[in-house]
Amino acid sequence: MTLAERAYLPAIFQGLSITMRHFFMKKATVRYPEEVRPFSPIFRGLHVLKRDEQGRERCTACGLCAVACPAEAITMVAGERKKGEEGLYREEKYAISYEVNMLRCIFCGLCEEACPKAAVYLQADKMAPPRFERDEFIYGKDRLVEPVDPAKRSERGIQLTPEQAEALRNKMAQQPA
C-alpha cells in the first residue's frame, strides 16, 4: 500500500465527492403543512360521516364498519330515534356515539366498502392533521359528521339565533373545501 492509501486519503476524497454531489441535488423532503405533496388518485384519507339529501345523518349504527375494520379502530353506540328527531336521523336507529381512533386506523377503506348506507367515506384530499396528544386522535361525531348548511338548520329542527347562524356561516366560509 502506498502512503496515501495507508492514510485513507482516497477513501476520504471519495466520501467527500459523494457528499458534495448529494449536497446540490433537489431535496426529497416536503415542508408539511405549508407544502402538501400531490396525492395518489387512490389515496384514502380522513374519515367523514355523510348526510343524505335532506341533511339527515345516513349512519344507522348497524356496526358493519366496526366489524369490517381489521385494526378495530371504530367503536359506536346505537340508540333509538325519539319523537321529533325525524329531521336529524334517517332511520329509527342511529349512532349516539361514533368514534374512530386515527392512531389505530390503517386507512384500508374496508369500513367504506362495508357500509350499506354509504355513510362512511374516506376523503381523497385530506389527511389527519398532526397533533401532540393521543386523545386528540380519537375522532368523535363532532369531527366526523359533515357540517350542515346554516340556512337549512332551521328546516331540520335545529334552532339557531341569527347571530349563531351568521357566526356558523362565517366559520364554514373560512374552512377550506
Side-chain angles (χ1 to χ4, degrees), residues 25-59:
M25 290 177 73
K26 185 181 174 195
K27 304 284 188 263
T29 59
V30 176
R31 296 189 175 276
Y32 183 81
E34 296 87 20
E35 219 178 286
V36 179
R37 67 177 177 83
F39 292 114
S40 165
I42 57 170
F43 175 76
R44 291 184 216 99
L46 199 59
H47 294 248
V48 67
L49 289 174
K50 302 294 273 180
R51 294 184 181 273
D52 64 2
E53 301 78 36
Q54 286 85 31
R56 300 175 298 189
E57 290 181 21
R58 286 183 183 222
C59 181

Coordinates of all heavy atoms in Angstrom, one line a residue, residues 25-59:
M25 N -28.2 18.3 -4.9 CA -29.4 17.6 -5.5 C -30.7 18.2 -4.9 O -30.6 18.8 -3.8 CB -29.4 16.1 -5.3 CG -28.3 15.4 -6.0 SD -28.2 13.7 -5.7 CE -29.7 13.1 -6.5
K26 N -31.8 18.0 -5.6 CA -33.1 18.5 -5.1 C -33.4 17.8 -3.8 O -33.2 16.6 -3.7 CB -34.1 18.3 -6.2 CG -35.5 18.8 -5.8 CD -36.5 18.5 -6.9 CE -37.9 19.0 -6.4 NZ -38.9 18.4 -7.1
K27 N -34.0 18.5 -2.9 CA -34.4 17.9 -1.6 C -35.5 16.9 -1.8 O -36.5 17.2 -2.5 CB -34.8 19.0 -0.6 CG -33.8 20.1 -0.4 CD -32.6 19.6 0.4 CE -31.7 20.7 0.8 NZ -30.5 20.8 0.0
A28 N -35.5 15.9 -1.0 CA -36.5 14.8 -1.1 C -37.6 15.1 -0.1 O -38.7 14.5 -0.2 CB -35.9 13.5 -0.8
T29 N -37.4 16.0 0.9 CA -38.4 16.2 1.9 C -39.4 17.3 1.4 O -39.1 18.1 0.6 CB -37.8 16.7 3.2 OG1 -37.0 17.9 2.9 CG2 -36.9 15.7 3.8
V30 N -40.6 17.3 2.1 CA -41.6 18.3 1.8 C -41.9 19.0 3.1 O -42.0 18.4 4.2 CB -42.9 17.6 1.3 CG1 -44.1 18.6 1.2 CG2 -42.7 16.8 0.1
R31 N -42.0 20.3 3.1 CA -42.2 21.1 4.3 C -43.7 21.1 4.6 O -44.4 22.1 4.3 CB -41.6 22.5 4.1 CG -40.2 22.5 3.9 CD -39.6 24.0 3.9 NE -38.2 24.0 3.8 CZ -37.4 23.8 4.9 NH1 -37.9 23.7 6.1 NH2 -36.1 23.9 4.7
Y32 N -44.2 20.0 5.2 CA -45.6 19.9 5.6 C -45.8 20.7 6.9 O -44.9 20.7 7.7 CB -45.9 18.4 5.8 CG -47.3 18.2 6.2 CD1 -48.3 18.1 5.2 CD2 -47.7 18.0 7.5 CE1 -49.6 17.9 5.5 CE2 -49.0 17.8 7.8 CZ -50.0 17.8 6.9 OH -51.3 17.6 7.2
P33 N -46.8 21.4 7.1 CA -48.1 21.5 6.3 C -48.1 22.7 5.4 O -49.1 22.9 4.7 CB -49.1 21.7 7.4 CG -48.4 22.5 8.5 CD -47.0 22.0 8.4
E34 N -47.0 23.5 5.3 CA -47.0 24.6 4.3 C -47.1 24.1 2.9 O -47.7 24.7 2.0 CB -45.8 25.5 4.5 CG -45.7 26.2 5.8 CD -45.0 25.4 6.9 OE1 -44.3 24.4 6.6 OE2 -45.2 25.7 8.1
E35 N -46.4 23.0 2.6 CA -46.3 22.4 1.3 C -46.9 21.1 1.4 O -46.6 20.3 2.3 CB -44.8 22.2 1.0 CG -44.4 22.5 -0.4 CD -42.9 22.3 -0.5 OE1 -42.1 23.2 -0.1 OE2 -42.5 21.3 -1.1
V36 N -47.8 20.8 0.5 CA -48.5 19.5 0.5 C -48.1 18.7 -0.7 O -48.2 19.3 -1.8 CB -50.1 19.7 0.6 CG1 -50.7 18.3 0.6 CG2 -50.4 20.4 1.8
R37 N -47.7 17.5 -0.6 CA -47.3 16.7 -1.7 C -48.5 16.3 -2.5 O -49.6 16.1 -1.9 CB -46.4 15.5 -1.3 CG -47.2 14.5 -0.5 CD -46.3 13.3 -0.2 NE -46.9 12.4 0.7 CZ -47.7 11.4 0.2 NH1 -48.0 11.3 -1.0 NH2 -48.3 10.6 1.1
P38 N -48.4 16.0 -3.8 CA -49.6 15.5 -4.5 C -50.0 14.1 -4.0 O -49.2 13.3 -3.8 CB -49.1 15.5 -6.0 CG -47.6 15.6 -5.9 CD -47.2 16.2 -4.6
F39 N -51.3 14.0 -3.9 CA -51.9 12.7 -3.5 C -52.0 11.7 -4.7 O -52.3 12.2 -5.8 CB -53.2 12.9 -2.8 CG -53.1 13.6 -1.5 CD1 -53.7 14.9 -1.4 CD2 -52.5 13.1 -0.4 CE1 -53.7 15.6 -0.2 CE2 -52.5 13.7 0.8 CZ -53.0 15.0 0.9
S40 N -52.0 10.5 -4.4 CA -52.3 9.5 -5.4 C -53.8 9.5 -5.7 O -54.6 9.8 -4.9 CB -51.9 8.1 -4.8 OG -52.4 7.0 -5.6
P41 N -54.2 9.1 -6.9 CA -55.6 9.0 -7.2 C -56.4 8.1 -6.4 O -57.6 8.2 -6.2 CB -55.7 8.6 -8.7 CG -54.3 8.4 -9.2 CD -53.3 8.7 -8.1
I42 N -55.7 7.1 -5.8 CA -56.4 6.1 -4.9 C -56.2 6.3 -3.4 O -56.4 5.5 -2.6 CB -56.1 4.7 -5.3 CG1 -54.5 4.5 -5.2 CG2 -56.6 4.3 -6.7 CD1 -54.1 3.0 -5.3
F43 N -55.7 7.5 -3.1 CA -55.5 7.9 -1.7 C -56.7 7.8 -0.8 O -57.8 8.3 -1.3 CB -54.8 9.3 -1.6 CG -54.6 9.8 -0.2 CD1 -53.5 9.3 0.5 CD2 -55.4 10.7 0.4 CE1 -53.3 9.7 1.8 CE2 -55.2 11.1 1.7 CZ -54.1 10.6 2.4
R44 N -56.6 7.2 0.4 CA -57.7 7.2 1.3 C -57.3 8.0 2.5 O -56.3 7.6 3.2 CB -58.1 5.8 1.7 CG -58.7 5.0 0.6 CD -59.1 3.6 1.1 NE -58.8 2.6 0.1 CZ -57.8 1.8 0.1 NH1 -56.9 1.9 1.0 NH2 -57.7 1.0 -0.9
G45 N -58.0 9.1 2.8 CA -57.6 10.0 3.9 C -58.5 10.0 5.1 O -59.0 9.0 5.5
L46 N -58.8 11.2 5.5 CA -59.6 11.4 6.7 C -61.1 10.9 6.5 O -61.7 11.1 5.5 CB -59.6 12.9 7.0 CG -60.0 13.3 8.4 CD1 -59.1 12.7 9.4 CD2 -59.9 14.8 8.5
H47 N -61.6 10.3 7.6 CA -63.0 9.8 7.6 C -64.0 10.9 7.6 O -63.7 11.9 8.2 CB -63.2 8.9 8.8 CG -62.4 7.6 8.8 ND1 -62.9 6.4 8.7 CD2 -61.1 7.4 8.9 CE1 -62.0 5.5 8.7 NE2 -60.9 6.1 8.9
V48 N -65.1 10.7 7.1 CA -66.3 11.6 7.2 C -67.5 10.8 7.2 O -67.6 9.8 6.5 CB -66.3 12.7 6.1 CG1 -66.5 12.1 4.7 CG2 -67.3 13.8 6.4
L49 N -68.5 11.2 8.0 CA -69.8 10.6 8.1 C -70.7 11.4 7.2 O -71.0 12.6 7.5 CB -70.4 10.4 9.5 CG -69.7 9.4 10.4 CD1 -70.2 9.5 11.8 CD2 -69.9 8.0 9.8
K50 N -71.3 10.9 6.1 CA -72.0 11.6 5.2 C -73.5 11.9 5.6 O -74.0 11.2 6.5 CB -72.1 10.9 3.8 CG -70.7 10.6 3.2 CD -70.0 11.8 2.8 CE -70.4 12.2 1.4 NZ -69.7 13.4 1.0
R51 N -74.1 12.8 5.0 CA -75.5 13.1 5.2 C -76.3 12.9 3.9 O -75.7 12.8 2.9 CB -75.7 14.6 5.6 CG -75.1 15.0 7.0 CD -75.4 16.4 7.3 NE -74.8 16.8 8.6 CZ -75.4 16.6 9.7 NH1 -76.6 16.1 9.8 NH2 -74.8 17.0 10.8
D52 N -77.6 12.7 4.1 CA -78.4 12.5 2.9 C -78.8 13.8 2.3 O -78.4 14.9 2.7 CB -79.6 11.5 3.2 CG -80.6 12.1 4.1 OD1 -80.4 13.3 4.6 OD2 -81.6 11.5 4.5
E53 N -79.7 13.8 1.3 CA -80.1 15.0 0.6 C -80.9 15.9 1.5 O -80.8 17.2 1.3 CB -81.0 14.6 -0.6 CG -80.4 13.7 -1.6 CD -80.4 12.2 -1.2 OE1 -81.3 11.7 -0.5 OE2 -79.4 11.6 -1.5
Q54 N -81.6 15.4 2.5 CA -82.3 16.3 3.4 C -81.4 16.8 4.6 O -81.9 17.5 5.5 CB -83.5 15.6 4.0 CG -84.7 15.4 3.0 CD -84.5 14.2 2.1 OE1 -84.0 13.2 2.6 NE2 -85.0 14.3 0.9
G55 N -80.2 16.4 4.6 CA -79.3 16.8 5.7 C -79.3 15.9 6.9 O -78.7 16.3 7.9
R56 N -80.0 14.8 6.8 CA -80.0 13.8 7.9 C -78.8 12.9 7.9 O -78.2 12.7 6.9 CB -81.3 13.0 7.9 CG -82.5 13.8 7.9 CD -83.7 13.0 7.7 NE -83.7 12.3 6.4 CZ -84.6 11.7 5.8 NH1 -85.7 11.5 6.4 NH2 -84.5 11.1 4.6
E57 N -78.4 12.4 9.1 CA -77.3 11.5 9.2 C -77.6 10.2 8.5 O -78.7 9.7 8.8 CB -76.9 11.3 10.6 CG -76.2 12.5 11.3 CD -75.8 12.2 12.7 OE1 -75.7 11.0 13.1 OE2 -75.7 13.2 13.4
R58 N -76.8 9.7 7.7 CA -77.0 8.4 7.0 C -76.8 7.2 7.9 O -77.3 6.2 7.7 CB -76.1 8.3 5.8 CG -76.5 9.2 4.6 CD -75.6 8.9 3.5 NE -75.9 9.8 2.4 CZ -76.0 9.4 1.1 NH1 -75.7 8.2 0.8 NH2 -76.3 10.3 0.2
C59 N -75.8 7.3 8.8 CA -75.4 6.2 9.6 C -76.6 5.6 10.5 O -77.3 6.4 11.1 CB -74.3 6.6 10.6 SG -73.7 5.2 11.6

